[in-house]
Amino acid sequence: MERRRLIRIRGSYLVYLPKKVAALYETPDVVVYWEGRFVGVTPPARRRYACNISAPQIVVAGYAAGLDELYIPKNGGAAKGLEKVYAEWTEEGGLLKIRYIDKYADKPEVVERMLKIALYLLEGLEKGTATKKTVEAADDETDLLRLTVNRLCARQPTPKCAFYIQLARYYERAVDHIRELYAESHTPELWRLLYNTARELAEIHNRRNVEDIVKFLSTIPSRRFAVMQTARSELAMLHAVRVVDYFENAAEVYLDLTLYDNAEITAEEAARHSAEMR
């Protein structure tokens, strides 16, 4: 990291990019993206990768890594990987040419969708309307959305990516344990406890403030104890507790995110800090 001066030219702003980095750009055009006060600059290049190994894990990894295209041998079970990502493919000379598709562009939108899936799934389980097919579909989509958050952050890394990746991972794991809990013995009361927890977490997601998040976190021990008392088996208790744990982890990230979003830097403090760095 280097400190550079922001130059104001009438109504425009100019900052010189590091020469050792900009010299690597193959085109004079650049892609500019931003988040709050952060501005990112990158060349508009397509990212490709080719290897002589074909496996579903490579297909999934290419999507999560933000690749545009992947070339692999057509044999080796790549079809299973294609089922787990957004992509199109063609055959060229014994190779699979995979072109990944960006269905989403907004990271917060993807994270919100993951939370809604968990919420709607638990609501259906609590009401007795969700089936095995519903649970499996929710699990599959949550897995794909978690990979999508990774992909978006690889393509446009911003300061909040750390928060979004954590949230996506916690929601994916929560749904994984809901799936396992569904396969075990469970009661409507247990689903109700988990649904109410998810519902309150969704309220935090929509209206984040420190007081509400801290209040929610203070209730986690009692919620954890309640699901332990309600579970019919030790294995069901384990999965139910893990769901509560991951919702707690998500709330802690929302607290981090709330502090990050609401931190203030006054002009005087910025000037003093700039002087200290010189």
Side-chain angles (χ1 to χ4, degrees), residues 11 24 26 44 46 57 59 85 105 164 173 186 252 264:
L24 301 176
E26 298 82 2
R46 295 186 63 80
Q57 296 91 337
V59 176
V85 299
Y164 298 141
R173 295 301 294 140
H186 45 74
E252 291 170 342
E264 296 181 358

Side-chain angles (χ1 to χ4, degrees), residues 154-175:
R155 294 173 71 83
Q156 293 188 359
T158 61
K160 291 186 183 179
C161 272
F163 304 123
Y164 298 141
I165 289 174
Q166 282 183 298
L167 287 171
R169 182 59 175 165
Y170 294 148
Y171 288 143
E172 179 203 29
R173 295 301 294 140
V175 173

Side-chain angles (χ1 to χ4, degrees), residues 6 15 17 31-42 157-159:
L6 182 65
V15 62
L17 300 178
V31 175
V32 179
Y33 57 96
W34 54 89
E35 180 183 84
R37 297 184 177 186
F38 171 85
V39 177
V41 179
T42 186
T158 61

Side-chain angles (χ1 to χ4, degrees), residues 87-187:
E88 297 175 346
W89 60 273
T90 56
E91 291 188 20
E92 293 185 3
L95 293 178
L96 277 183
K97 177 183 178 181
I98 300 170
R99 185 176 67 85
Y100 294 109
I101 298 172
D102 289 308
K103 185 175 180 179
Y104 297 95
D106 186 62
K107 304 167 196 127
E109 176 189 359
V110 180
V111 171
E112 182 176 22
R113 183 168 179 81
M114 296 182 73
L115 174 55
K116 286 182 176 179
I117 290 172
L119 181 63
Y120 294 156
L121 177 58
L122 286 170
E123 183 179 18
L125 291 168
E126 190 266 335
K127 292 180 178 179
T129 57
T131 64
K132 180 181 179 181
K133 186 176 181 180
T134 306
V135 175
E136 291 176 348
D139 182 41
D140 290 342
E141 185 171 6
T142 303
D143 289 345
L144 176 51
L145 292 175
R146 196 270 297 175
L147 294 172
T148 300
V149 172
N150 274 52
R151 176 175 179 80
L152 291 173
C153 284
R155 294 173 71 83
Q156 293 188 359
T158 61
K160 291 186 183 179
C161 272
F163 304 123
Y164 298 141
I165 289 174
Q166 282 183 298
L167 287 171
R169 182 59 175 165
Y170 294 148
Y171 288 143
E172 179 203 29
R173 295 301 294 140
V175 173
D176 284 345
H177 283 284
I178 292 171
R179 178 199 64 207
E180 296 301 322
L181 180 58
Y182 178 81
E184 290 298 317
S185 55
H186 45 74
T187 65

